[in-house]
Amino acid sequence: SDHIQQILPAKIATAVEAAPPSLTRRDAALPSGGAKGKAIAVIGMRRAGKTSFLHQCRADLLAAGRPAESLVYFNFEEGSVFRNGSSV
């Protein structure tokens, strides 16, 4: 757990600074009028474009003026976060 506490602040800072990748835009959007402060789950089959969709949504929100600090994308499957069987 100490490893995770050491690495997470750096990973989050990197995620805040990172621009969304340039991807082919899809005709999809987050539902409007959802409950404020509630999470929206993006589900789908493997390799269906869920991560690309999230990057597209993040880019749209950044373009609309949302602060980057509120739109952090973090990949928990990245190997450098977990070491020696650590888990969150």
Side-chain angles (χ1 to χ4, degrees):
S1 178
D2 288 337
H3 171 70
I4 293 172
Q5 289 178 346
Q6 292 172 355
I7 199 167
L8 279 182
K11 293 289 185 185
I12 292 169
T14 300
V16 168
E17 296 169 2
S22 296
L23 302 167
T24 301
R25 183 155 189 86
R26 303 293 181 212
D27 186 23
L30 291 172
S32 61
K36 185 175 175 84
K38 297 294 183 178
I40 296 172
V42 177
I43 61 173
M45 293 176 50
R46 185 173 183 265
R47 301 194 51 82
K50 298 177 297 292
T51 300
S52 296
F53 174 65
L54 291 174
H55 285 305
Q56 175 178 306
C57 293
R58 181 173 180 257
D60 291 348
L61 291 168
L62 288 169
R66 182 79 63 93
E69 295 82 17
S70 70
L71 300 169
V72 176
Y73 172 78
F74 193 79
N75 182 355
F76 284 96
E77 293 184 358
E78 185 178 307
S80 66
V81 175
F82 303 106
R83 179 179 72 197
N84 300 328
S86 299
S87 63
V88 173

